[in-house]
Amino acid sequence: MLLAAAIHFSRAPVEHDLATRSGVLLVQIGESWAHASFDGRDALLEGEALSEEARVKVRSELGRLAGVRSVSDSTTLLPERRPFTFTAIRDGAQLRLEGYVPSAWARRRIADAAEKMAPGVVVAGVKELVRARGVPAGDFVGVVVFGIQQLARMPAGRITISDDAFSIEGRAPDFTTYDELEVTVRSELPADFKLARFAVLPPAVSPFVWQASREPDGVRLSGYIPLGDARRSLLDMVRAAVPGAAISDQLRLADGSPPSAGWLKAVDFALQQLGRLPNGKVGLSDTTISIEGAAPDFAAYDAIAGARRSVPEGYTLTRFAVTPPTVSPFNWSVIRGSAGLRLTGFAPSEDAKRLVIDAVRAGFPGVPTSDEMRIASGGPGAEAWVNATVFGVGQLAKLRSGAVRGNGDVLAISGEAQDSAAFGAVQAALSGQLPRGFTVESDVRPPIVSPYVFGMRKDSDGLTISGFYPSTLGHAALVEAAKTELLGMPLNDVSALALGAPDGFEKATLVVLHELARLSEGEARFDDTKLRFSGTVLYEAAIEQVRSSLTAGLPKGFALDLSLNVAVRRESSDKAACQKAIDDLLARGAIQFTPDEAAIAPASYGLLDHVAFAASGCPDAMIEVSVQQATTPDGALARARAVTDYLAHAGISPERLFTGAPSAVAIQNHDEVGPVEPGLQVIVR
C-alpha cells in the first residue's frame, strides 16, 4: 500500500512537467496546432495538422523531449482548401469576416486586429472562420491585418485574399485618403502576396468639371476624369486636336461624371475648338460646355461659330467667349436698294448682329435681306453699336432708297425719303436725341416727285399754299413775301419739301405771288413748267399788265395759261367809306420803291391795285397823294408822282389826282427789309 501510494503521488508532478515542457516545445517549433497529454511518461499527441510533414515533425520533436518514453500519434490532417480564401467586409460600423484560417492562433490574431480597426466597430463571423490546409506561403495573418487596416480608412469596402492574390474595393471618403490608399496598397503589400485588384473608387464630385487650356509649351489638362479607360481616349483626342503639343496631365480620377461615352464626345467637341484657338481654354461642367479665347483669323472664328450648331446631344454650350479678329477700320452698312436690303461690314458680336437683323426684319417686313456681316473686334461696344445701327435702320425705313453706314463712332445716313412726311420725320429724329457716343452725319434728300406740282390759291379765307417746294430757304422767303404782299391775309401752308422742281422754280413762284397779290381772288398752279394762272383782276388794264409781267418774269421754259376776268366795281358817293377803305389798306402794307427812289417795286403792285379799286368806288372824289420825305424833297415828290401815274394807269382819271406837300417821315425802299410806317397818304376829298 505504501508503494502504491508513493507511485501515485509521484506520477502527477511528472505528467504536469512533461505537459508544460511539451507545450512550450510545440510553440517554439511553430506547431501550436498540436497538443500532447501524458499518461505517466507516455505522450498522446492530438490535433489537426496542416500537412503530413507537420505531423512527422511534431512526433519527432516530442519523442526527443527529455522524460518522454513513447509518443502515440492521434493527430489528423485538416481538410485542404483550394483556393484558400479570406474576406473582410465593412459596412459602416459593421465588419464581417469570412473564409479560412490556418490555425486557431491565426484566428485569434485576426480577431484582435478586427476589434482594434476603429472605435465602435462590431465584428461578426470570427467563430465561423474555418481552419483549413492550403494557406499560401508567407505571412497570411499579416496580409489579413494589413487589409483590415486599409478598410479602416473607408466607410465601406471589402478585402479579398485568394491564395496569394490580394484585392481591395470600396469608396474613399476624399482624395487624400484615395491617394494614400493607392500608394499604401501598391507599395506596402506584405511580401509573397500580389495585388490582384485595386477597385477603390475615388470620391464622387459635383459638379464634374474638366478643363483644357493652351499654353506656350503645350496643353494643360485639369479637373476630373471618369473612371475606366477614359484617360487614354482623352489623350489621343488632345494629340489629334493639337498635333505635337506637350501634354500636362493634371487630371484626377473622380466619380460622378455623366455617362462616359457622351462625356468623351463632348470633350472631343471642345478640344476641336481648342485646336483653333492658340491661347484658348475649353471646359465642361457636368453637361455644360464653355469655350474662350481669341480667334487668330476669320476662318477660325467662322469655324468655331459654326460649330455652335453641332453641340453633342445632351450637352449645352453655355459660355461662348471667343473674341473675333480685330479689324481697322471697323465699318459696317445696311443698304436699301431695289432688290432688298444688304448688310455688310462688321458686327461686334453674334448677339449684336442678331438684334440688328431682328430690327431690320421688323422695319422691313417681307423685304429680302442679305446678311454679309462678319464678326470682328476693334469697333464700338456691342450695346452702343446696336443702339446706333437700330437708330439708323429706323430712319432707313423712311427712305425709298439709301444706306446706313458706320465707321468707328461715326454713323452716316443717306438716301431719298419716301415722301415729304417721311423726310420730315427723319429730320425730326436727326434733330432729337442721337445715339450716345456717336457722331451722326446725314445726307437724306427729300423725295423726287414728278410731275412737280405747286399751287397758291387766294380767296376770302386767305392764301392757301399746297404742293411741293425744293428748298426750305426759298419756301421761307416765299411765305414771308406772301405775308407782306397780301397785307397780312391768313396763310394756310400745306406744302411739303420735295426734289424734282424745274430750273427757276423758286423765282417763278415769287413772280407769280406778285401778280396774285393784284387779284381780288385767284389761283396759280404749277405742273412742272406749265403755269395756269386764273382769277379776278381789279380793273381792265390789269389783265394785260399781269400777262406782260408773268411773260417777262417767268424763267425760260415755263408756259403760261392765263384766264382772268375783271371785278365788278361798286360806285358810291360816300367819301368817308372810301377813305376808310384806303386807310385800312395803307395801314396793312407799305409802298416799296426801287433803289432809284422813283420807281415802284413790283411787290407793291397788289397794294396799289387795291388802293385804286377802293378809290374808284368814289368817282366824284378828288384823290390827293402825298409821300413822306425820302432822301430829298425832290425824291419825295418824284415818288408821289410815280404813285399818281400808277393810279392813273389803274383807271383813276388824272383830273382827280394831285400831289400834296411831303411830310418829314422817311419811307421804305425796295431793298430794305422789315415793315416801316406807311410812307404814302392817299386823301379822298
Side-chain angles (χ1 to χ4, degrees):
M1 291 177 65
L2 290 173
L3 179 60
I7 292 172
H8 173 75
F9 287 108
S10 63
R11 182 175 181 173
V14 171
E15 291 176 348
H16 176 72
D17 177 62
L18 288 174
T20 300
R21 288 191 295 117
S22 65
V24 171
L25 173 65
L26 292 173
V27 170
Q28 289 177 343
I29 65 174
E31 303 294 343
S32 59
W33 56 271
H35 172 70
S37 60
F38 285 88
D39 182 10
R41 291 188 295 115
D42 297 327
L44 176 62
L45 192 60
E46 297 174 317
E48 294 179 317
L50 294 175
S51 64
E52 184 62 36
E53 292 79 6
R55 296 178 68 194
V56 172
K57 177 181 177 182
V58 169
R59 289 198 302 269
S60 174
E61 294 294 332
L62 189 60
R64 289 198 293 268
L65 183 66
V68 175
R69 179 170 52 196
S70 65
V71 177
S72 297
D73 187 1
S74 296
T75 61
T76 61
L77 286 175
L78 288 172
E80 185 175 17
R81 294 290 182 261
R82 290 282 186 251
F84 195 90
T85 60
F86 182 89
T87 301
I89 306 167
R90 182 180 184 181
D91 184 6
Q94 303 292 325
L95 179 67
R96 178 167 187 79
L97 307 179
E98 299 175 353
Y100 306 114
V101 291
S103 64
W105 175 82
R107 181 190 292 122
R108 289 194 300 273
R109 286 278 312 277
I110 291 171
D112 289 344
E115 291 172 355
K116 296 175 182 178
M117 182 183 75
V121 170
V122 178
V123 181
V126 174
K127 293 182 179 180
E128 287 73 25
L129 293 176
V130 178
R131 292 178 60 239
R133 286 185 300 138
V135 64
D139 187 359
F140 176 81
V141 173
V143 77
V144 171
V145 172
F146 172 82
I148 291 173
Q149 291 172 348
Q150 310 317 309
L151 284 180
R153 299 178 175 183
M154 296 184 290
R158 173 197 301 262
I159 61 166
T160 301
I161 301 167
S162 180
D163 291 336
D164 63 348
F166 178 86
S167 300
I168 183 169
E169 57 187 283
R171 183 183 295 281
D174 51 59
F175 284 108
T176 300
T177 301
Y178 178 83
D179 293 342
E180 292 174 350
L181 275 170
E182 186 172 27
V183 170
T184 300
V185 170
R186 294 185 185 280
S187 63
E188 299 181 17
L189 188 66
D192 296 325
F193 288 85
K194 61 185 178 183
L195 180 62
R197 184 166 179 257
F198 183 85
V200 176
L201 298 176
V205 295
S206 181
F208 196 91
V209 297
W210 169 88
Q211 191 174 86
S213 56
R214 296 280 295 271
E215 296 181 343
D217 56 348
V219 177
R220 181 169 64 89
L221 305 176
S222 60
Y224 306 112
I225 189 169
L227 305 175
D229 58 354
R231 187 185 301 271
R232 180 182 304 168
S233 299
L234 188 148
L235 294 178
D236 290 342
M237 294 174 187
V238 175
R239 296 183 185 102
V242 190
I247 301 175
S248 173
D249 184 357
Q250 300 176 19
L251 297 171
R252 298 209 62 152
L253 279 173
D255 202 2
S257 73
S260 293
W263 187 86
L264 285 172
K265 289 181 180 179
V267 166
D268 189 33
F269 168 83
L271 286 172
Q272 289 177 23
Q273 314 321 313
L274 184 66
R276 301 182 174 107
L277 299 171
N279 298 300
K281 180 168 63 176
V282 296
L284 274 67
S285 178
D286 289 337
T287 58
T288 65
I289 303 173
S290 64
I291 305 174
E292 304 174 33
D297 49 48
F298 284 111
Y301 183 84
D302 291 345
I304 297 172
R308 299 170 69 177
R309 296 186 289 272
S310 58
V311 177
E313 183 178 359
Y315 284 77
T316 305
L317 181 60
T318 56
R319 176 171 172 75
F320 183 83
V322 177
T323 303
T326 300
V327 297
S328 182
F330 190 98
N331 48 44
W332 70 100
S333 61
V334 182
I335 304 170
R336 183 179 189 181
S338 58
L341 289 151
R342 182 175 171 223
L343 284 67
T344 64
F346 305 105
S349 71
E350 290 285 355
D351 290 340
K353 184 173 79 165
R354 184 165 53 253
L355 290 172
V356 166
I357 291 176
D358 289 344
V360 168
R361 289 172 177 165
F364 301 87
V367 176
T369 301
S370 171
D371 175 20
E372 301 172 20
M373 279 187 171
R374 307 198 75 168
I375 309 303
S377 300
E383 182 177 359
W385 182 87
V386 169
N387 291 338
T389 308
V390 169
F391 172 83
V393 168
Q395 311 320 307
L396 187 62
K398 305 178 181 76
L399 306 183
R400 180 176 290 111
S401 62
V404 176
R405 290 184 171 86
N407 189 340
D409 58 358
V410 177
L411 186 72
I413 305 172
S414 61
E416 177 190 344
Q418 292 180 352
D419 50 42
S420 298
F423 179 79
V426 172
Q427 294 301 101
L430 294 175
S431 62
Q433 185 174 359
L434 299 176
R436 182 176 298 179
F438 276 79
T439 299
V440 179
E441 299 176 350
S442 173
D443 183 23
V444 176
R445 302 178 300 279
I448 299 175
V449 298
S450 181
Y452 203 87
V453 295
F454 178 79
M456 291 184 286
R457 185 179 73 252
K458 178 184 178 183
D459 53 27
S460 59
D461 293 328
L463 179 68
T464 299
I465 302 177
S466 61
F468 304 102
Y469 56 87
S471 74
T472 54
L473 289 178
H475 185 66
L478 177 69
V479 170
E480 191 62 31
K483 292 177 181 178
T484 301
E485 297 184 31
L486 274 70
L487 308 179
M489 289 183 69
L491 179 62
N492 180 27
D493 185 4
V494 293
S495 59
L497 183 66
L499 300 181
D503 293 341
F505 175 81
E506 291 182 329
K507 177 184 177 182
T509 58
L510 283 172
V511 170
V512 168
L513 177 65
H514 296 331
E515 303 310 312
L516 191 64
R518 303 179 67 177
L519 308 183
S520 61
E521 60 181 20
E523 182 177 9
R525 180 175 179 82
F526 287 90
D527 190 340
D528 287 333
T529 58
K530 297 177 182 179
L531 170 63
R532 187 177 185 279
F533 191 92
S534 61
T536 302
V537 296
L538 298 173
Y539 52 92
E540 184 72 31
I543 294 178
E544 289 306 318
Q545 293 172 7
V546 170
R547 185 190 305 276
S548 176
S549 296
L550 289 176
T551 301
L554 288 175
K556 184 178 181 181
F558 280 79
L560 174 63
D561 179 5
L562 189 67
S563 177
L564 296 175
N565 53 47
V566 182
V568 177
R569 185 173 64 181
R570 294 182 177 87
E571 296 183 356
S572 173
S573 60
D574 187 351
K575 297 178 181 180
C578 289
Q579 183 67 65
K580 184 178 185 305
I582 292 172
D583 289 345
D584 287 345
L585 289 169
L586 294 177
R588 288 155 52 194
I591 304 299
Q592 299 177 11
F593 294 86
T594 58
D596 64 6
E597 296 188 352
I600 298 171
S604 295
Y605 292 170
L607 174 58
L608 287 177
D609 277 8
H610 284 80
V611 169
F613 186 74
S616 67
C618 299
D620 297 332
M622 297 297 292
I623 307 299
E624 178 183 348
V625 178
S626 64
V627 176
Q628 296 170 353
Q629 186 174 351
T631 55
T632 65
D634 291 341
L637 182 58
R639 291 183 174 185
R641 289 174 177 170
V643 172
T644 57
D645 290 345
Y646 188 94
L647 294 176
H649 284 90
I652 305 298
S653 175
E655 288 79 7
R656 297 173 56 200
L657 298 169
F658 67 95
T659 58
S663 69
V665 180
I667 68 169
Q668 178 177 336
N669 290 319
H670 179 62
D671 58 348
E672 293 175 348
V673 178
V676 299
E677 294 296 326
L680 173 71
Q681 288 184 347
V682 178
I683 302 173
V684 178
R685 296 185 187 280

